[in-house]
Every structure is written in structure tokens, then in C-alpha cells.
Amino acid sequence: MTFSVFPNRSHFLSFNSESPPTLKKPVFARTTSSAQSPSSVGSLLVNDYKPFPGKPEADVVVIGSGIGGLCCAGLLARYEQDVLVLESHDRPGGAAHSFEIKGYKFDSGPSLFSGFQSRGPQANPLAQVLDALGESIPCVNYDSWMVYVPEGEFLSRIGPTEFYKDLEKYAGPNAVQEWKKLLDAILPLSSAAMALPPLSIRGDFGVLSTAAARYAPSLLKSFLQMGPQGALGATKLLRPFSEIIDSLELKDPFIRNWVDLLAFLLAGVKSNGILSAEMIYMFAEWYKPGCSLEYPLHGTGALVDALVRGLEKFGGRLSLRSHVEEIVVENNRATGVKLRSGQFIRAKKAVISNASMWDTSNLVPKEVLPKSYLDRINTTPQCESFMHLHLGFDAEFSNCFTDQCIKKDLGIHHIVVNDWSGGVDADQNVVLISVPSVLSPDLAPPGKHLLHAYTPGTEPFELWEGLDRRSAKYKQLKAERSEVMWRAVERALGPGFSREKCEVKLVGTPLTHKRFLRRNRGTYGPAIEAGKNTFPGHSTPISQLYCCGDSTFPGIGVPAVAASGAIVANSLVSVSQHSQLLDAIGI
């Protein structure tokens, strides 16, 4: 499983240099001649967009090369469809792309993963897609991250027993008893939560064959194994997780806060806004015997690279710096797209948008969209945006024998919670830190580390709206709002860390998100709470226009967007083709 805010809502190119550094040539300049020239951060100018070579049509045109779009396109290519992915940026990956500066290969997106090396029905949806494309990701395994909370700081280990020791020390025996009560209640439900693979789902009645009939025996078996109480509990899988917490009468403040933090890391909402099924899946991944976390060797860029390889292996095409200006609709049917260059690309079967619901609706002529559809989009609440800090610095491990060194046992992940009382979703309260060079040293020059810190979907866009990025006011606000990340980094790395000695210092703001990721208001995605509303499906009122990504079911997070892309791809092919794929990958 890949989780959502570590930074798994797949995140973002996080620069905001006023004098942008020069990047190396894009690795994926496959079909766009303009992408062969060196690019700089902030250099995506209108005249950079040129018509790409090759035929200007495809069976399916996919807008955006985020994880959802690449999963969808790769599977469609595997299904022998002619697929063309159009990406506005000069590199693929969307919010999960990587970038390189001065020899530092930064992740802009997800960095907390598990389940990549598992196979079968219960595997991570992204792992299932990669398996279908004949690709794999070498990973480094680990089992812990550092936590800094008001009660103290400790190394939090996954697994069924290790966490009890931390609870005993920092929260007391009552917290241990409640945690055991929680695990005893929900771990038996995991077989039901994981019984239906997301890749079996499609958006038509064919789902009765590919999902319901195919997996009914295993689902029934899981219910029988749970007994009456477990089966009753399974009815809550599609309800908010807080209802399970309340039904168990868990009252310990640390347990309630910790569960809220886990929910927030996973989906950007607290336990009262996340589906129980999603949390139970995560608990099964983190608190079962023998579990581990995984980090892809060579960074999250390796994930994107693998998806692109899989797409191209089956004949799919990727065109970078191909900014879609408009989705062309004729007689209420999406027939293609118009690029900023003026070129028209015909889609013979479908147009699929991997953009957010707000950005997708802006690509469609307003007169062809029903008012009720637009009203739903415009009234859907949005998650807030992000502050980012990307750093490159000397590891300072050699010839260092004092307590003024950077920690030698520095782990890959650190979570800082400043105050429980305001809630984990309060702005400037939680800071997440990733130092991936700890596990994959090739991401930084020899003897160096790189680091990504961010405030996860809690930075108010209103503070930044309308500011000129070149203005003194913007620079001052950037310095003020990034200070909480600097302090968290200093706490995590120890007294040997020096801001002044960092070779690379990049601060990203909500305006960075909006600009580079084409994200409306720089948002993380829809703030849809379980039990109150549901994520939209993948079809639209326009025939042959579909959507995938974090604005659609199952929602935000890498596993969810991978599943959404797969669902759309499955829905565009026959049931027999879909079933053959499931057979081929053993789910």
C-alpha cells in the first residue's frame, strides 16, 4: 500500500526560486521535440509548446501523466488500445514527479510505501498495475519512523508488538489496553476489507462478472471466518472509522490523537472523515506479523519511469510539453482536445482527464455541461494546499565525534506534531520530513543528503491568493510560513544541521502548486468526508469523456488514484478482456 500524505497524496514540484536553477534534460522527452532542449524551473512558457510529431489522433487521449493517468493509459495500451498521454509539464509523473538540481534527485511526491512486492488480490493497486505491465520496482525495506509529539519523541515501529512499548512509556497502561482492544476488533475485518481487488472493478454491469461473481466465494469465506460479531462489524466498512472507535468506547487521548494522525497521513482527514475499510487495510499492512515499509530504489521517479516503460512497451505514447487548452465537444461527445499550440488531437473512442474536477470542468465549454454537474463541482469543498522545503546538505558523518553532528542514525521519515489540541489538520501544526538518501544514497552526491519537508494539505490558499511571486510581500510571507518546517528539520536532524550550509534550499508555496501542477487553488484534492458524501464516479455528462485521479472514486492517495485509473481502463474494454487480464496477473 502506498500512503497518502507521506507525501502520498502524491505531491508536487516544490520550487519557488526567484532565480530558478537549471535542470538537466528531461528523461522522458519521448515524443516532444521541444522537450529536447534544457529546461529551467519556471520555464514553461507559451512558446515552449510545439506540435508533437506523430499522428495527431489516438483511440484514447489521456490528459495528464499523474499516477492515475499513467496507470489508466498503461492498462489501455496493455488492452491493445492506441493511447496518447498529453502532459503539460516537461517531465511525467504529475504530483509524483522527480527533479534534479546540483546532483540531488528530489522526490516531489509520495515517499511512504508498502505492498509493492506483494502479489495477488490483496496487493497494492499500483503494484497490480505494474505487474500487468510487466514492470517491477526494486525497494529497500524498513520498519520505523521517528515521531515528535507533545508527549515526547520516539522511534515508532510497525508490527503487532513494538508499538506497545512506546505506548507504555508515553501514554500509559490504559493506552496499551485500548490499542490492543482496537487491534483485536479490526484486524479480523481486514480479510473482508481486502477481499475485493480494486483492479476487478469496472464502471458498468460487467462488474457483476469481474468482481461480484469472481470474488464472492472469498468474500463469503472471510465473513464466515469472522463469525457473527465480525460480520456485523464488517457492515461498518463503508462508514467513518470514528464510528468503530466510538463503538469500542476508546477514550484515551493519546489513542484518539494517534488514530487521527494515521487517518490524516492516509487520506488528509481525521478518523471521522475516512472510510473504515481504508483504515483497516492500512492497519493490516502496518500491524500484522512480518510487515515492513518499502522505499523504491532511485526514488519515486523510478515508479514513474516504470509506468512510462510499461506504457511504451505496449505501444502507448507520451507527449511532454503538450498543454491541453480545451476538450473539444461535438454533439455532446468528446471528440478530442486542442493544444495550446493550436493543434487538434482527435480521440476516436474516449478522452480521459487526470486533472482535478475543477480543472477538468474549466477545459470543457461551459454551455455543454449541465448546471447540476457544475454546481456539484463548485460546491465540493477543497483540501488546503502545501508548504514545501527541499534541501541538499552535507551529511557530515566523517571526522565527527561530538554531539554537534547530524544524527548518524538518521531515519528516512520524521513526523512532527506541535500540538494535539488544535487537531492534526490545523495549519502549521504537523510537519512531515523525508530523507530518502538514507535508504537510496544515489539520490544525492557522495557524502550528501537530500530532504523534503512539508505541511500536509493544511496551508490556506487564501493567504497567498493574488500575491505577485516577485513582490517583497510574497517573499516575506514565504519566509514566515516556511519557518515551522525549518524548526522541525532542525529538531529532527540535530544540532549539527545548519541552514546556512545547505547547498540547495527551495521553498514551495500554494502558488507553486497552482502554477506547476495546474491544480486549482493549489489544492490537495476534494475534502470529501466519509458518511457525508462520496467521491464522484468516472463518467461525465459528456459522452466519451471520463475522469480518473484524486477527484474520483476511490479518492486521494497513490493506491486510490492507481485504482481509479484502472477502473476507467477496465470500463473501456470488454468483460472478456478485463477477465483475461485478471487471470494473467493472478487476482
Side-chain angles (χ1 to χ4, degrees):
M1 191 170 191
T2 352
F3 295 93
S4 287
V5 184
F6 238 148
N8 185 18
R9 291 181 183 181
S10 297
H11 300 309
F12 321 91
L13 179 63
S14 302
F15 309 130
N16 205 15
S17 305
E18 269 59 45
S19 300
T22 300
L23 300 186
K24 291 188 174 181
K25 292 182 180 180
V27 177
F28 299 96
R30 298 250 186 346
T31 60
T32 310
S33 59
S34 64
Q36 300 299 329
S37 60
S39 70
S40 298
V41 178
S43 68
L44 298 181
L45 305 176
V46 172
N47 60 9
D48 280 337
Y49 299 105
K50 300 177 181 178
F52 65 89
K55 63 177 182 178
E57 68 174 21
D59 291 336
V60 180
V61 171
V62 178
I63 304 170
S65 66
I67 296 293
L70 287 176
C71 286
C72 183
L75 288 178
L76 283 170
R78 171 75 161 72
Y79 283 131
E80 299 183 340
Q81 302 296 302
D82 179 21
V83 184
L84 172 61
V85 181
L86 300 172
E87 170 57 51
S88 180
H89 209 327
D90 61 1
R91 61 206 62 225
H97 73 272
S98 296
F99 57 94
E100 183 174 344
I101 295 177
K102 296 183 178 180
Y104 294 93
K105 303 178 183 69
F106 290 100
D107 290 344
S108 63
S111 56
L112 183 68
F113 302 94
S114 67
F116 270 142
Q117 299 176 43
S118 59
R119 292 293 181 268
Q122 297 182 354
N124 183 326
L126 180 53
Q128 292 178 346
V129 171
L130 288 169
D131 201 20
L133 298 179
E135 297 291 336
S136 61
I137 301 294
C139 294
V140 182
N141 294 80
Y142 64 104
D143 65 357
S144 61
W145 66 89
M146 278 299 300
V147 178
Y148 307 82
V149 292
E151 291 84 354
E153 56 186 66
F154 57 90
L155 184 68
S156 177
R157 297 185 184 274
I158 64 172
T161 60
E162 292 294 336
F163 188 53
Y164 289 126
K165 301 174 185 177
D166 300 323
L167 286 176
E168 179 73 36
K169 180 176 181 179
Y170 294 101
N174 184 60
V176 173
Q177 293 173 7
E178 290 201 358
W179 186 252
K180 186 177 188 305
K181 186 178 182 180
L182 176 61
L183 293 185
D184 289 345
I186 65 175
L187 288 183
L189 301 178
S190 62
S191 57
M194 304 166 78
L196 189 64
L199 259 68
S200 69
I201 302 173
R202 52 190 291 126
D204 58 20
F205 286 112
V207 72
L208 297 176
S209 173
T210 61
R214 189 181 185 99
Y215 299 101
S218 61
L219 189 59
L220 178 60
K221 180 181 178 181
S222 67
F223 277 113
L224 291 175
Q225 290 175 338
M226 287 187 292
Q229 280 298 109
L232 181 62
T235 62
K236 299 178 180 179
L237 290 176
L238 299 182
R239 297 293 302 165
F241 190 64
S242 59
E243 294 184 5
I244 290 180
I245 301 294
D246 293 338
S247 69
L248 294 172
E249 298 183 344
L250 304 184
K251 302 183 184 302
D252 185 87
F254 187 90
I255 295 297
R256 303 285 301 212
N257 286 328
W258 185 259
V259 171
D260 273 347
L261 178 63
L262 293 179
F264 190 67
L265 295 177
L266 181 58
V269 292
K270 295 190 290 189
S271 60
N272 62 354
I274 191 172
L275 285 177
S276 294
E278 197 172 2
M279 281 291 282
I280 290 168
Y281 192 105
M282 183 270 290
F283 268 86
E285 283 289 309
W286 283 11
Y287 297 108
K288 65 184 179 183
C291 58
S292 69
L293 299 170
E294 301 162 339
Y295 182 76
L297 279 175
H298 319 307
T300 56
L303 295 177
V304 176
D305 196 355
L307 288 171
V308 173
R309 284 197 310 268
L311 167 70
E312 295 183 336
K313 178 190 303 180
F314 291 99
R317 293 177 286 158
L318 167 65
S319 181
L320 303 174
R321 287 185 175 173
S322 296
H323 181 78
V324 173
E325 194 81 6
E326 180 183 342
I327 297 172
V328 178
V329 179
E330 300 173 0
N331 299 320
N332 202 47
R333 184 168 62 94
T335 59
V337 299
K338 186 177 75 172
L339 303 184
R340 181 167 288 178
S341 65
Q343 188 173 17
F344 173 70
I345 310 296
R346 181 170 299 282
K348 293 185 285 186
K349 295 184 179 180
V351 174
I352 300 169
S353 176
N354 187 207
S356 75
M357 61 171 68
W358 303 281
D359 297 294
T360 299
S361 67
N362 288 334
L363 295 176
V364 181
K366 290 296 183 288
E367 64 271 14
V368 303
L369 289 173
K371 183 178 183 299
S372 58
Y373 183 77
L374 287 173
D375 286 345
R376 176 174 182 178
I377 291 174
N378 293 332
T379 57
T380 298
Q382 295 182 348
C383 294
E384 296 290 3
S385 192
F386 292 74
M387 290 293 297
H388 288 269
L389 184 64
H390 283 96
L391 303 175
F393 53 92
D394 196 322
E396 297 186 34
F397 285 169
S398 60
N399 300 318
C400 186
F401 301 100
T402 73
D403 60 1
Q404 297 302 307
C405 299
I406 291 175
K407 296 176 181 177
K408 293 179 187 281
D409 57 350
L410 184 65
I412 179 174
H413 294 307
H414 305 257
I415 305 175
V416 178
V417 181
N418 293 313
D419 180 19
W420 290 124
S421 64
V424 294
D425 53 352
D427 71 284
Q428 301 262 297
N429 191 22
V430 175
V431 178
L432 306 181
I433 301 168
S434 176
V435 193
S437 51
V438 168
L439 297 181
S440 188
D442 64 301
L443 296 176
K448 310 290 183 179
H449 274 316
L450 58 84
L451 177 149
H452 177 203
Y454 58 101
T455 55
T458 59
E459 181 67 11
F461 185 78
E462 289 75 12
L463 296 176
W464 304 86
E465 193 166 16
L467 289 181
D468 183 342
R469 293 179 298 102
R470 295 162 296 186
S471 68
K473 183 176 181 181
Y474 176 78
K475 295 174 183 177
Q476 180 181 352
L477 185 61
K478 188 169 65 169
E480 292 172 356
R481 300 296 290 182
S482 64
E483 184 61 26
V484 66
M485 297 184 294
W486 281 110
R487 291 198 302 269
V489 168
E490 289 167 342
R491 182 177 182 184
L493 269 59
F497 173 76
S498 169
R499 301 186 190 188
E500 291 70 26
K501 292 182 180 180
C502 289
E503 297 176 3
V504 176
K505 291 185 280 189
L506 302 169
V507 177
T509 74
L511 297 185
T512 313
H513 277 271
K514 179 181 178 182
R515 182 184 182 204
F516 283 98
L517 296 184
R518 314 292 183 188
R519 298 285 293 188
N520 183 272
R521 296 173 61 80
T523 184
Y524 187 175
I528 295 176
E529 294 187 4
K532 295 183 179 179
N533 209 333
T534 58
F535 277 86
H538 307 93
S539 61
T540 72
I542 307 300
S543 176
Q544 295 190 176
L545 175 61
Y546 301 87
C547 297
C548 67
D550 59 16
S551 288
T552 64
F553 175 83
I556 291 173
V558 170
V561 298
S564 77
I567 292 169
V568 175
N570 296 335
S571 303
L572 295 180
V573 300
S574 69
V575 171
S576 62
Q577 286 177 288
H578 186 185
S579 296
Q580 288 170 12
L581 178 69
L582 296 176
D583 290 338
I585 61 177
I587 65 173

